[in-house]
């Protein structure tokens, strides 16, 4: 099966997803606020651990994340219109966080 480049969906915009869904608690640059600092911490976790934290609310030590952190598998990013976010979106957020200092 051949797909033209125009038929391939653009990758998720990690910066936009972070700003819309995470920055209110974790700071505009992931420096922390109501929620913990992400840059230089969770941004450096293995991809599967970061996905587990965002989607299931379990941190890198196997502990439950504290409220008000949503378990996104049961919620929706603002741009997802009610659908749970996918790993591509979560991975894009982590990739964006890795670009910040």
């Amino acid at each position: 099966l051949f797909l033209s480049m125009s038929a391939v969906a653009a990758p998720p915009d990690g910066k936009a997803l972070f700003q819309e869904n995470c920055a209110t608690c974790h700071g505009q640059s992931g420096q922390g606020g109501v929620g913990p600092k992400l840059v230089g911490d969770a941004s450096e976790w293995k991809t599967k651990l970061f996905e587990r934290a965002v989607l299931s609310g379990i941190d890198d030590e196997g502990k439950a994340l504290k409220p008000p952190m949503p378990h996104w598998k049961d919620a929706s990013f603002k741009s997802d219109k009610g659908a749970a976010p996918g790993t591509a979106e979560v991975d894009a957020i982590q990739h964006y966080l890795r670009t910040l200092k």
Side-chain angles (χ1 to χ4, degrees), residues 50-69:
F50 190 81
E51 290 170 357
R52 181 180 76 177
V54 174
L55 297 174
S56 300
I58 306 294
D59 72 10
D60 61 326
E61 297 177 352
K63 297 177 184 170
L65 297 175
K66 297 174 185 159
M69 177 66 186

Side-chain angles (χ1 to χ4, degrees), residues 6-94:
S6 62
V8 177
D13 183 340
K15 180 178 181 178
L17 288 167
F18 179 81
Q19 295 300 324
E20 288 175 359
N21 301 285
C22 314
T24 300
C25 293
H26 293 286
Q28 292 298 310
S29 299
Q31 76 278 11
V34 173
K37 173 183 171 186
L38 299 177
V39 171
D41 186 16
S43 66
E44 302 303 320
W45 294 352
K46 292 185 185 294
T47 301
K48 292 296 178 195
L49 287 178
F50 190 81
E51 290 170 357
R52 181 180 76 177
V54 174
L55 297 174
S56 300
I58 306 294
D59 72 10
D60 61 326
E61 297 177 352
K63 297 177 184 170
L65 297 175
K66 297 174 185 159
M69 177 66 186
H71 297 181
W72 287 105
K73 70 178 172 48
D74 298 324
S76 176
F77 287 163
K78 291 178 182 172
S79 59
D80 285 342
K81 300 178 178 80
T87 56
E89 291 170 302
V90 175
D91 295 349
I93 290 170
Q94 186 180 31

